Amino acid sequence: MSKKVVIIGGGIIGLNSAYYLLKEGHEVSVIDQFDITSGASFVNAGYISPSHVTPLAAPGMVASGIKMMFNQASPFYLKPRFDLDLFRWAWNFNKFATAKHVKSSAPVIKDFTILSRDLFQEIKDSGIFDFQFERKGLLMSYQTSKFEDKEARLADLAKKQGLDVKHISKRELKEMEPEMKAEGAFYYLDDAHTTPDDFMKKMHYYLKSKGVRFYLNEKVIDFEINSQKITHLITDKQQLDFDELVVASGSWSSIVAKKLGVKLLVQAGKGYRINLYRKTGINYPAILSELNTAVSPMDGFTRFGGTMEIAGINTKINKIRVEQIAKNATVFYPNIKISEEEIKDADYGFRPVSPDGLPFIGKVKSLKNVNFATGHAMMGWSQGQATGKLISEIISDKKTSLNLEPFSLERFN
């Protein structure tokens, strides 16, 4: 049965939800407080990464985070502030930063991300629009024995999940990536990458052409609730009614949740990117292990990105962090010098981070027609297709492609 569905949020999760709901024959509208031209869905590394089977909440992260939180140039920065939601989030993060949690989460993350990668491939093969989708894998590159050991442990975990991982010697790496200065790498062959900016623009255009309504630069103000159902929502411009609501508003999802009386532990994790619109000689996506910096050869440019800055939702660009990404690039690629102009052109996005590194996907128990799809942290691009598919299955009353229990909205209550 066709339903009228409203999605709050026009990022990768929102657009993919619209795509799969449309395929199921539903009438879809998307509301976004911005114009769908910027944000985390446009500035990420473009990875579809089954390799990332370790959740953010892992052993050692709390101790590392405490050390790094006083250094604004560090890969992970948590700005100290008095905020009860942040305290609750941090307490749960600490609770889940265990080996037991990593072991139970790894197969969930792997299956989720592989499904998403395969769905990306389906869209590519369908020919509805053309976009970069390359199965070139991902290099986890290192310069020191300490990080070789660390990456070897992570590679073993990935292999236990059935992923194809090879160790690449310094000589072999030089042949693959002549511009890179590293002692070796672990090569994850199951990974793929895309150009996010291009995919987002083309998916947005495609959905519009197929009848999806977009209400942009429009902010959700309030909701009308009747008999455990949301009957309609009120924006700063209009009132909309619907059968089902999907909240996919990224780092703003917890704000929407509060309006609905739903507890949702999500913190905004700001990440930055620098684009180089010139030849760099870089052939493969890579993560520079010691520096937690991502590198992506995209369609027409090379992107360097990274950092996780948990400092609330603010529009300030922390130049210290951007400059650190530029410095990190030169450490592994000595021939690349990022200019001041390229640094000034840096952009950022907010990634919605849950305490345990898994997203929130599913219906709200207290509200019969409200669904959430958020909290993916750095994995939103990697898991966006599968999330959209799951949301469409939930709303269409179909058996879901994956078990939704690990993504329960109530798991921290």
Side-chain angles (χ1 to χ4, degrees), residues 184-300:
F186 288 88
Y187 185 29
Y188 290 79
L189 285 89
D190 292 295
D191 284 26
H193 75 286
T194 62
T195 301
D197 320 48
D198 183 52
F199 181 87
M200 287 293 293
K201 290 171 186 174
K202 288 177 177 176
M203 177 60 90
H204 182 193
Y205 179 82
Y206 172 80
L207 293 171
K208 282 178 68 176
S209 73
K210 295 300 179 180
V212 174
R213 294 186 181 91
F214 284 88
Y215 303 104
L216 305 184
N217 298 303
E218 194 161 335
K219 194 169 183 179
V220 175
I221 303 297
D222 207 353
F223 301 91
E224 288 290 333
I225 304 175
N226 187 16
S227 300
Q228 292 187 303
K229 287 185 74 174
I230 308 296
T231 54
H232 57 266
L233 61 80
I234 303 159
T235 75
D236 55 0
K237 296 180 181 178
Q238 63 177 315
Q239 178 175 300
L240 287 171
D241 63 350
F242 49 83
D243 300 311
E244 294 277 349
L245 178 71
V246 179
V247 181
S249 44
S251 294
W252 287 265
S253 296
S254 58
I255 298 170
V256 177
K258 282 184 179 180
K259 294 179 185 293
L260 294 166
V262 176
K263 292 181 181 179
L264 196 72
L265 292 177
V266 169
Q267 286 293 315
K270 187 188 286 184
Y272 296 91
R273 68 97 178 111
I274 300 173
N275 290 341
L276 272 60
Y277 297 95
R278 53 188 166 95
K279 289 184 178 180
T280 60
I282 294 173
N283 302 310
Y284 290 87
I287 291 180
L288 316 180
S289 186
E290 283 88 345
L291 305 173
N292 282 295
T293 299
V295 186
S296 299
M298 294 188 174
D299 190 7

Side-chain angles (χ1 to χ4, degrees), residues 163-180:
L163 296 177
D164 190 358
V165 190
K166 294 180 180 178
H167 181 254
I168 304 295
S169 69
K170 185 176 182 178
R171 179 185 60 79
E172 291 170 319
L173 185 59
K174 197 68 178 175
E175 291 175 359
M176 292 175 67
E177 202 65 287
E179 294 295 324
M180 181 184 283

Side-chain angles (χ1 to χ4, degrees), residues 81 95 126 166 213 226 244 323 354 373 397 403:
R81 64 191 192 278
K95 179 182 174 182
S126 73
K166 294 180 180 178
R213 294 186 181 91
N226 187 16
E244 294 277 349
E323 288 176 340
S354 72
D397 300 314
N403 175 20

Side-chain angles (χ1 to χ4, degrees), residues 310-341:
I310 297 178
I313 296 176
N314 67 81
T315 58
K316 181 182 177 183
I317 289 184
N318 188 326
K319 193 177 179 183
I320 294 173
R321 301 182 72 72
V322 177
E323 288 176 340
Q324 189 61 51
I325 292 172
K327 291 174 184 176
N328 293 347
T330 301
V331 172
F332 273 76
Y333 303 94
N335 293 328
I336 293 176
K337 309 296 181 191
I338 296 178
S339 70
E340 189 61 33
E341 285 303 310

